[in-house]
Amino acid sequence: MPVFTLYTNIRQSAIPQTIMTDLWKLLEQALDVPAKYIAVIIHPDQKVIFGGTEDPCGLCTLQRIGKTDGQRNENYSRIICEFLQKQLQIPPDRQVLCTFL
């Protein structure tokens, strides 16, 4: 069961209400896993300093069994990075994605 977790210093009030379902659907397509097995967790309002500033950032983990390798992880990272930039205006250089088996 894939689990995606996002820690961000963005305020809850600034996060689109549809972000959970939008991200859940994106991961369903990207991971090629039925949606019923995917969990999405978002922790807004975190106290985070990244790169020496408190500018908007996202620290993410994607935990998953199977279908992970360098090429897939690079693809997952690109897709998630683009999503977070579009939905939360977090620049790519302010995002970190760690993947785990």
Side-chain angles (χ1 to χ4, degrees):
M1 176 170 113
V3 177
F4 177 81
T5 306
L6 167 64
Y7 291 89
T8 183
N9 55 359
I10 295 175
R11 294 181 326 277
Q12 174 69 45
S13 60
I15 295 178
Q17 290 186 356
T18 62
I19 195 164
M20 297 288 283
T21 54
D22 293 343
L23 186 52
W24 179 61
K25 290 175 186 175
L26 177 79
L27 292 171
E28 177 186 30
Q29 292 174 358
L31 302 175
D32 193 30
V33 172
K36 67 181 182 178
Y37 298 117
I38 298 172
V40 174
I41 304 163
I42 298 179
H43 298 277
D45 299 309
Q46 300 297 299
K47 296 285 187 188
V48 180
I49 290 180
F50 178 74
T53 75
E54 293 182 23
D55 294 343
C57 65
L59 307 173
C60 314
T61 60
L62 177 60
Q63 297 172 304
R64 157 158 219 214
I65 296 173
K67 292 190 180 179
T68 55
D69 57 48
Q71 186 175 4
R72 284 190 175 112
N73 290 349
E74 192 175 310
N75 187 50
Y76 302 153
S77 182
R78 180 185 53 77
I79 290 167
I80 292 167
C81 181
E82 290 171 0
F83 178 86
L84 295 178
Q85 184 174 19
K86 180 179 177 184
Q87 293 290 319
L88 299 177
Q89 290 73 51
I90 300 174
D93 65 343
R94 305 274 310 152
Q95 298 180 39
V96 174
L97 174 66
C98 299
T99 54
F100 299 97
L101 291 173

